[in-house]
Amino acid sequence: MNVRAIEHVGITVPDMEEATRFFVDAFGAEKLYDMLDEPLGGPEVEAGLGVPPGALITVIRMLRLGNGPNLELFSYSGVQQAQPVVPSDFGIQHICIYVDDIDVAASRLEKAGGILLSRPGVLPGGDAGSGNRYVYTRTPWGSTIELVTYPSAQAYERHTHLRRWRPLPTGPNDYENQAE
């Protein structure tokens, strides 16, 4: 088996156009394509995705986001839907987007309709390092997104040769303090 990376993250949204605008305005996402020519549902879809009877996928849209995984947005109809999970719920509870300037990214997210749950703060513990920061946020429909930046080596790097995946550097000073 050769695992290379996460290819995409799927997010169910209540309004496809609002969600697309949010990801474009907040993160510069690019709309690549809509996957369906007509709604998709029925017993095979219900069984294959583990969704309730009557669930109908009305739109699937693929977005490109920087040099990380793509975002696949889903819009459903025909079934009652629960509120988005919060970090204390079981299951996949947030996505994290790496940004170069967390203050600018946080401001842009707010202008796009997102909510900051706090101001950007210093990354603790194994993630600590000069300028390494994070903030948790919410989309307009309530999904949790973490913004993170770690331009310096992280504290855990002193104790192991193993390294987390990180986005490709974009400039000559990126990762200048990174441990080898």
Side-chain angles (χ1 to χ4, degrees), residues 111-124:
K111 288 178 185 157
I115 299 164
L116 299 183
L117 299 180
S118 67
R119 299 306 313 164
V122 174
L123 280 167

Side-chain angles (χ1 to χ4, degrees), residues 144-165:
T144 304
I145 296 178
E146 179 185 6
L147 303 179
V148 70
T149 189
Y150 39 89
S152 298
Q154 294 174 294
Y156 84 89
E157 294 175 4
R158 293 188 302 267
H159 308 289
T160 179
H161 70 281
L162 300 174
R163 296 293 181 261
R164 291 171 57 163
W165 175 90

Side-chain angles (χ1 to χ4, degrees), residues 69-141:
N70 300 296
L71 296 178
E72 185 177 28
L73 305 182
F74 290 80
S75 183
Y76 280 84
S77 67
V79 291
Q80 187 170 16
Q81 294 173 291
Q83 293 299 307
V85 300
V86 295
S88 58
D89 291 330
F90 292 120
I92 296 172
Q93 40 111 323
H94 78 276
I95 63 170
C96 182
I97 297 174
Y98 189 97
V99 297
D100 292 324
D101 186 323
I102 199 163
D103 296 309
V104 169
S107 176
R108 187 172 170 172
L109 179 134
E110 282 186 302
K111 288 178 185 157
I115 299 164
L116 299 183
L117 299 180
S118 67
R119 299 306 313 164
V122 174
L123 280 167
D127 291 340
S130 178
N132 295 355
R133 299 170 67 207
Y134 78 106
V135 65
Y136 274 74
T137 74
R138 292 267 163 74
T139 64
W141 58 92

